[in-house]
Amino acid sequence: MINMTASIYLDYAATTPMDISVIEKMTDTMRNHYGNASSIHQYGRNSKKLLEHARKTVAEYINALPEEIIFTSGGTESDNTAILMGAHARSDRGRHIITTAVEHEAVLKPLKRLEAEGFEVTYLPVGITGELDFEHFKEAVRQDTILVSIMSVNNEVGTIFPIEKIGAFLSERDILFHTDAVQAFGPLKIDVKKAKIDLLSASAHKIYGPKGVGFLYKRKNIAIPSFMLGGNQERKQRAGTENLPAIVGFEQAVCHMKANRAQFNQHAVNLREQLIYELNHQAINFQINGNLSQQVPHIINLYFPNKLAEQLLIQLDLKQIAVSAGSACTAGSIKPSHVLQSMYGDQSDRLMHSIRVSMGAFTTEKDIKDFVKVLKEIV
């Protein structure tokens, strides 16, 4: 038996540990900058300076203008705002929306609400590799299509979607284009101008920042009403007092990621190669879900034919190893992964026998070796 003396965290796609520099920045802000950024006195003005500096930093990271960044409580609020408000703002032009069958629930559930209101939604399937057929996408676009919401990177399998091709195609047709970039923001270089994105959602806690803060990029001249009603914060685009410590922490996480992105990605590539090597070396029966050449390096989805994912999660957790069976936001659910369902069909054995392993900056080679040794005992 393997003697585990320390826990192993392999669920970075769900959330990342906060970087120490982020914690320090947030602590200083909570201690010394407690003024409301909407107040006109010096405490408020000092907080406003920090807020606008963070906005500028985040905007530059995606080649946006500062006034195009709306700070929110995270990816879910950003997705909901873009989809619900975007659809309602353009409902006089049509009521057809396009998305994929493998989106995060923060996209799928607002779309279900819109369907109940009379909108028509086309859910594009993905292929066995998890990739979207671009020609199939183009065929789905209609005269009454007003909104397209397609994720940049799938959160369960790690598939990268052709956002730039989609953006270029839609820009010629005046169709609102939203992308959930929560898993892409950080690992991938995003240029909203080059990709012709109208609306983009991102979250801090995927890039070693705090939970409960994110942003919605809204391209200049795109008019959608505010989702949150109340005060006039965020240029009247999002009511509610800004969470300044979290926003400053988000800014620091962006700076940290910008300086270390290439190093982080290479580290993830090395860990993924080591994981595959160790699995083969230990003669474990497994297969990879998706196409590694079209995926971000820190996420790998593994199929184990003879072991239910739920059993794997429990047994690994007892050994202090954390992995996932899909999206963390559906934790506790025993229903099959809708992502794998779209890839392999309703009856595939993979739906209930696959786990997601996601690695990050603090994952070590020893973590990978120990994880595979324990996995060998279990399977």
Side-chain angles (χ1 to χ4, degrees), residues 19 29 109 218 231 256:
D19 186 77
T29 304
K109 288 187 177 179
K218 182 177 73 69
H256 183 62

Side-chain angles (χ1 to χ4, degrees), residues 41 77 137 141 189 218 231 251 259:
H41 49 60
E77 182 191 330
F137 159 73
V141 176
K189 181 175 177 57
K218 182 177 73 69
E251 177 189 18

Side-chain angles (χ1 to χ4, degrees), residues 98-368:
I98 298 174
T99 189
T100 76
V102 297
E103 299 293 316
H104 191 279
E105 295 289 347
V107 168
L108 295 176
K109 288 187 177 179
L111 289 172
K112 289 298 182 184
R113 175 178 290 186
L114 288 173
E115 284 186 294
E117 296 175 7
F119 287 84
E120 182 184 353
V121 181
T122 296
Y123 297 90
L124 298 173
V126 295
I128 197 169
T129 61
E131 297 168 78
L132 178 68
D133 186 327
F134 184 65
E135 293 302 317
H136 187 191
F137 159 73
K138 290 196 296 184
E139 292 170 1
V141 176
R142 308 185 326 206
Q143 288 288 342
D144 60 339
T145 303
I146 56 169
L147 171 67
V148 170
S149 180
I150 293 178
M151 60 187 4
S152 297
V153 170
N154 182 262
N155 53 295
E156 290 192 28
V157 181
T159 306
I160 301 170
F161 286 84
I163 296 304
E164 289 191 8
K165 289 176 66 176
I166 293 170
F169 179 79
L170 294 177
S171 67
E172 299 175 355
R173 290 158 178 79
D174 192 29
I175 296 172
L176 207 57
F177 179 33
H178 166 253
T179 184
D180 177 343
V182 169
Q183 285 294 345
F185 185 75
L188 300 184
K189 181 175 177 57
I190 298 173
D191 185 328
V192 292
K193 298 292 188 291
K194 182 179 179 182
K196 302 187 184 304
I197 295 167
D198 297 312
L199 300 160
L200 178 144
S201 307
S203 187
H205 74 102
K206 306 294 187 180
I207 60 166
Y208 310 94
K211 298 172 182 63
V213 63
F215 72 82
L216 173 65
Y217 159 77
K218 182 177 73 69
R219 184 169 61 81
K220 194 175 181 180
N221 300 325
I222 293 292
I224 62 172
S226 175
F227 183 62
M228 302 285 283
L229 304 178
N232 293 328
Q233 293 88 353
E234 296 300 292
R235 294 179 175 83
K236 300 182 180 181
Q237 290 295 303
R238 197 267 187 185
T241 302
E242 291 94 348
N243 185 351
L244 187 63
I247 290 170
V248 169
F250 193 1
E251 177 189 18
Q252 178 58 30
V254 167
C255 292
H256 183 62
M257 179 60 72
K258 183 177 181 179
N260 296 281
R261 179 170 55 205
Q263 178 184 340
F264 285 168
N265 284 338
Q266 187 57 55
H267 180 58
V269 169
N270 294 342
L271 291 173
R272 186 173 69 180
E273 290 177 354
Q274 183 193 0
L275 174 58
I276 295 171
Y277 169 80
E278 297 291 342
L279 288 168
N280 286 319
H281 183 68
Q282 293 288 344
I284 296 175
N285 184 15
F286 80 100
Q287 294 177 36
I288 297 170
N289 293 323
N291 177 8
L292 290 185
S293 68
Q294 298 299 320
Q295 296 172 1
V296 288
H298 68 287
I299 298 176
I300 183 168
N301 201 291
L302 301 171
Y303 164 53
F304 299 98
N306 300 317
K307 200 72 176 179
L308 285 170
E310 186 177 11
Q311 294 175 347
L312 277 175
L313 294 184
I314 293 171
Q315 291 174 291
L316 287 169
D317 186 50
L318 290 172
K319 295 288 188 177
Q320 300 184 65
I321 300 175
V323 297
S324 172
S327 170
C329 300
T330 56
S333 172
I334 59 172
K335 66 179 183 180
S337 160
H338 71 285
V339 175
L340 298 181
Q341 197 168 23
S342 181
M343 291 169 64
Y344 299 109
D346 295 346
Q347 305 304 314
S348 174
D349 192 46
R350 294 177 186 250
L351 274 59
M352 302 299 287
H353 292 75
S354 298
I355 64 171
R356 180 186 68 184
V357 178
S358 50
M359 303 150 288
F362 304 113
T363 309
T364 65
E365 292 182 1
K366 184 177 184 302
D367 289 338
I368 298 299

Side-chain angles (χ1 to χ4, degrees), residues 18-28 30 252:
M18 285 174 62
D19 186 77
I20 187 64
S21 67
V22 173
I23 296 172
E24 290 171 349
K25 281 280 189 178
M26 292 181 66
T27 302
D28 177 73
M30 286 186 282
Q252 178 58 30

